[in-house]
Short mmCIF file of all heavy atoms in Angstrom, two decimals:
data_model
loop_
_atom_site.label_atom_id
_atom_site.label_comp_id
_atom_site.label_asym_id
_atom_site.label_seq_id
_atom_site.Cartn_x
_atom_site.Cartn_y
_atom_site.Cartn_z
N MET A 14 -34.32 -28.60 -92.85
CA MET A 14 -34.33 -27.56 -91.84
C MET A 14 -34.21 -28.21 -90.46
O MET A 14 -34.77 -29.27 -90.23
CB MET A 14 -35.63 -26.77 -91.91
CG MET A 14 -35.62 -25.61 -90.93
SD MET A 14 -37.18 -24.75 -90.84
CE MET A 14 -38.00 -25.72 -89.63
N VAL A 15 -33.48 -27.56 -89.59
CA VAL A 15 -33.30 -28.06 -88.23
C VAL A 15 -33.71 -26.97 -87.26
O VAL A 15 -33.24 -25.83 -87.35
CB VAL A 15 -31.82 -28.45 -87.97
CG1 VAL A 15 -31.61 -28.85 -86.52
CG2 VAL A 15 -31.39 -29.55 -88.92
N ARG A 16 -34.59 -27.30 -86.35
CA ARG A 16 -34.91 -26.40 -85.24
C ARG A 16 -34.07 -26.89 -84.08
O ARG A 16 -34.17 -28.03 -83.65
CB ARG A 16 -36.39 -26.45 -84.90
CG ARG A 16 -37.23 -25.89 -86.00
CD ARG A 16 -38.61 -25.54 -85.50
NE ARG A 16 -39.51 -25.30 -86.61
CZ ARG A 16 -39.64 -24.14 -87.24
NH1 ARG A 16 -38.90 -23.12 -86.88
NH2 ARG A 16 -40.49 -24.01 -88.23
N THR A 17 -33.23 -26.02 -83.58
CA THR A 17 -32.20 -26.42 -82.64
C THR A 17 -32.72 -26.78 -81.26
O THR A 17 -33.69 -26.22 -80.78
CB THR A 17 -31.11 -25.33 -82.55
OG1 THR A 17 -30.00 -25.86 -81.83
CG2 THR A 17 -31.61 -24.08 -81.85
N GLY A 18 -32.05 -27.74 -80.65
CA GLY A 18 -32.16 -28.04 -79.24
C GLY A 18 -30.78 -27.76 -78.67
O GLY A 18 -29.90 -27.28 -79.39
N ASN A 19 -30.54 -28.06 -77.42
CA ASN A 19 -29.24 -27.80 -76.81
C ASN A 19 -28.66 -29.07 -76.22
O ASN A 19 -29.39 -29.96 -75.81
CB ASN A 19 -29.36 -26.75 -75.70
CG ASN A 19 -29.72 -25.39 -76.24
OD1 ASN A 19 -29.22 -24.98 -77.27
ND2 ASN A 19 -30.61 -24.70 -75.55
N TYR A 20 -27.34 -29.13 -76.15
CA TYR A 20 -26.65 -30.21 -75.46
C TYR A 20 -25.34 -29.69 -74.89
O TYR A 20 -24.77 -28.72 -75.40
CB TYR A 20 -26.42 -31.43 -76.36
CG TYR A 20 -25.44 -31.19 -77.50
CD1 TYR A 20 -24.08 -31.47 -77.35
CD2 TYR A 20 -25.86 -30.70 -78.73
CE1 TYR A 20 -23.19 -31.27 -78.38
CE2 TYR A 20 -24.98 -30.48 -79.76
CZ TYR A 20 -23.64 -30.78 -79.58
OH TYR A 20 -22.75 -30.56 -80.61
N GLN A 21 -24.89 -30.33 -73.82
CA GLN A 21 -23.61 -30.01 -73.19
C GLN A 21 -22.51 -30.73 -73.96
O GLN A 21 -22.55 -31.95 -74.08
CB GLN A 21 -23.61 -30.46 -71.73
CG GLN A 21 -22.30 -30.25 -71.01
CD GLN A 21 -22.06 -28.82 -70.60
OE1 GLN A 21 -22.98 -28.12 -70.22
NE2 GLN A 21 -20.82 -28.38 -70.68
N GLY A 22 -21.54 -29.99 -74.50
CA GLY A 22 -20.42 -30.61 -75.20
C GLY A 22 -19.47 -31.26 -74.21
O GLY A 22 -19.27 -30.74 -73.10
N VAL A 23 -18.86 -32.39 -74.58
CA VAL A 23 -17.91 -33.04 -73.68
C VAL A 23 -16.72 -32.13 -73.40
O VAL A 23 -16.09 -32.23 -72.35
CB VAL A 23 -17.42 -34.41 -74.22
CG1 VAL A 23 -18.55 -35.39 -74.33
CG2 VAL A 23 -16.69 -34.27 -75.54
N GLN A 24 -16.42 -31.22 -74.34
CA GLN A 24 -15.32 -30.28 -74.17
C GLN A 24 -15.74 -29.02 -73.44
O GLN A 24 -14.93 -28.16 -73.17
CB GLN A 24 -14.70 -29.96 -75.52
CG GLN A 24 -15.57 -29.11 -76.44
CD GLN A 24 -16.51 -29.91 -77.32
OE1 GLN A 24 -17.15 -30.85 -76.88
NE2 GLN A 24 -16.61 -29.52 -78.58
N GLY A 25 -17.01 -28.91 -73.07
CA GLY A 25 -17.53 -27.74 -72.37
C GLY A 25 -18.38 -26.88 -73.27
O GLY A 25 -18.31 -26.95 -74.49
N GLY A 26 -19.23 -26.07 -72.67
CA GLY A 26 -20.09 -25.17 -73.41
C GLY A 26 -21.43 -25.82 -73.74
O GLY A 26 -21.58 -27.04 -73.71
N ILE A 27 -22.40 -24.97 -74.02
CA ILE A 27 -23.73 -25.41 -74.41
C ILE A 27 -23.86 -25.21 -75.92
O ILE A 27 -23.76 -24.09 -76.41
CB ILE A 27 -24.84 -24.61 -73.68
CG1 ILE A 27 -24.65 -24.70 -72.16
CG2 ILE A 27 -26.22 -25.10 -74.10
CD1 ILE A 27 -24.77 -26.09 -71.58
N PHE A 28 -24.06 -26.30 -76.63
CA PHE A 28 -24.17 -26.27 -78.08
C PHE A 28 -25.62 -26.31 -78.52
O PHE A 28 -26.43 -27.05 -77.95
CB PHE A 28 -23.44 -27.47 -78.70
CG PHE A 28 -21.95 -27.37 -78.66
CD1 PHE A 28 -21.25 -27.74 -77.53
CD2 PHE A 28 -21.24 -26.90 -79.75
CE1 PHE A 28 -19.87 -27.64 -77.48
CE2 PHE A 28 -19.87 -26.80 -79.72
CZ PHE A 28 -19.17 -27.17 -78.58
N GLY A 29 -25.94 -25.53 -79.54
CA GLY A 29 -27.21 -25.66 -80.24
C GLY A 29 -27.04 -26.77 -81.25
O GLY A 29 -26.10 -26.75 -82.05
N ALA A 30 -27.90 -27.77 -81.19
CA ALA A 30 -27.79 -28.93 -82.09
C ALA A 30 -28.17 -28.51 -83.50
O ALA A 30 -29.31 -28.65 -83.92
CB ALA A 30 -28.67 -30.06 -81.59
N GLY A 31 -27.23 -27.96 -84.22
CA GLY A 31 -27.47 -27.43 -85.57
C GLY A 31 -27.40 -28.50 -86.63
O GLY A 31 -28.05 -29.54 -86.54
N ILE A 32 -26.56 -28.29 -87.62
CA ILE A 32 -26.42 -29.22 -88.73
C ILE A 32 -25.34 -30.25 -88.42
O ILE A 32 -24.21 -29.89 -88.08
CB ILE A 32 -26.04 -28.45 -90.03
CG1 ILE A 32 -27.08 -27.39 -90.35
CG2 ILE A 32 -25.82 -29.42 -91.19
CD1 ILE A 32 -28.47 -27.92 -90.63
N SER A 33 -25.69 -31.52 -88.51
CA SER A 33 -24.75 -32.61 -88.27
C SER A 33 -25.25 -33.85 -89.00
O SER A 33 -26.33 -33.84 -89.60
CB SER A 33 -24.63 -32.90 -86.77
OG SER A 33 -25.85 -33.43 -86.28
N ALA A 34 -24.50 -34.93 -88.90
CA ALA A 34 -24.96 -36.19 -89.47
C ALA A 34 -26.26 -36.63 -88.81
O ALA A 34 -27.18 -37.10 -89.47
CB ALA A 34 -23.89 -37.27 -89.29
N GLN A 35 -26.34 -36.42 -87.50
CA GLN A 35 -27.50 -36.86 -86.76
C GLN A 35 -28.75 -36.03 -87.04
O GLN A 35 -29.85 -36.56 -87.14
CB GLN A 35 -27.22 -36.84 -85.25
CG GLN A 35 -26.17 -37.84 -84.80
CD GLN A 35 -24.74 -37.42 -85.13
OE1 GLN A 35 -24.43 -36.26 -85.37
NE2 GLN A 35 -23.84 -38.41 -85.16
N SER A 36 -28.59 -34.72 -87.18
CA SER A 36 -29.76 -33.84 -87.33
C SER A 36 -30.20 -33.65 -88.78
O SER A 36 -31.38 -33.42 -89.04
CB SER A 36 -29.49 -32.47 -86.71
OG SER A 36 -28.51 -31.77 -87.47
N ALA A 37 -29.25 -33.72 -89.72
CA ALA A 37 -29.59 -33.37 -91.10
C ALA A 37 -28.99 -34.32 -92.14
O ALA A 37 -29.13 -34.07 -93.33
CB ALA A 37 -29.12 -31.94 -91.38
N GLY A 38 -28.30 -35.36 -91.69
CA GLY A 38 -27.69 -36.28 -92.63
C GLY A 38 -26.43 -35.74 -93.28
O GLY A 38 -25.99 -36.24 -94.32
N ALA A 39 -25.81 -34.71 -92.67
CA ALA A 39 -24.57 -34.14 -93.22
C ALA A 39 -23.49 -35.23 -93.32
O ALA A 39 -23.39 -36.09 -92.45
CB ALA A 39 -24.08 -32.99 -92.35
N GLU A 40 -22.69 -35.15 -94.37
CA GLU A 40 -21.66 -36.16 -94.59
C GLU A 40 -20.25 -35.67 -94.32
O GLU A 40 -19.36 -36.47 -94.06
CB GLU A 40 -21.75 -36.68 -96.02
CG GLU A 40 -23.06 -37.41 -96.28
CD GLU A 40 -23.17 -37.93 -97.71
OE1 GLU A 40 -22.16 -37.87 -98.45
OE2 GLU A 40 -24.26 -38.37 -98.08
#
């Protein structure tokens, strides 16, 4: 389970840090 934080994407917009390799070990 991931409780989201936020980050500014290099391409623009505010992203919720959802599921990724960094947050959940997604491959």
Side-chain angles (χ1 to χ4, degrees):
M14 184 186 87
V15 175
R16 293 198 193 276
T17 191
N19 293 320
Y20 67 92
Q21 176 77 38
V23 297
Q24 70 271 44
I27 304 297
F28 286 83
I32 303 298
S33 67
Q35 294 76 20
S36 68
E40 296 180 9

